[in-house]
Amino acid sequence: MKLLSIGSKQIAFIRYDDQASQMHIQYHTGQTHTCNGVNPEQYRLLLQSPNRYDLIMKLTASPANVPTQA
């Protein structure tokens, strides 16, 4: 699992599990959401993005990636 700091007021970091194609969003409140179907290319785009928070919002806006509470 790969950890990536987001640097936002809401999201502390994300964990990406390439084996399960899941992105786990860890909020500063302690809450965690899991998004399924996040492929390695989407994660690579997130790594390269100058605004990771906005890209996370776009990825989780897709009906296939609706966050589920973990």
Side-chain angles (χ1 to χ4, degrees):
M1 213 175 272
K2 302 168 187 168
L3 290 175
L4 179 62
S5 176
I6 300 304
S8 96
K9 292 179 182 178
Q10 290 91 7
I11 300 173
F13 60 88
I14 62 131
R15 289 183 309 240
Y16 179 66
D17 183 345
D18 55 349
Q19 299 295 318
S21 297
Q22 292 180 331
M23 180 172 65
H24 305 272
I25 303 170
Q26 181 69 47
Y27 293 90
H28 288 291
T29 62
Q31 193 174 28
T32 302
H33 288 293
T34 300
C35 299
N36 296 304
V38 178
N39 65 48
E41 176 63 20
Q42 291 170 310
Y43 180 72
R44 187 186 63 75
L45 289 173
L46 187 59
L47 286 174
Q48 297 174 346
S49 176
N51 190 336
R52 293 175 175 166
Y53 179 81
D54 282 352
L55 186 53
I56 289 171
M57 293 301 102
K58 288 178 186 175
L59 288 173
T60 58
S62 168
N65 289 323
V66 174
T68 56
Q69 194 166 14

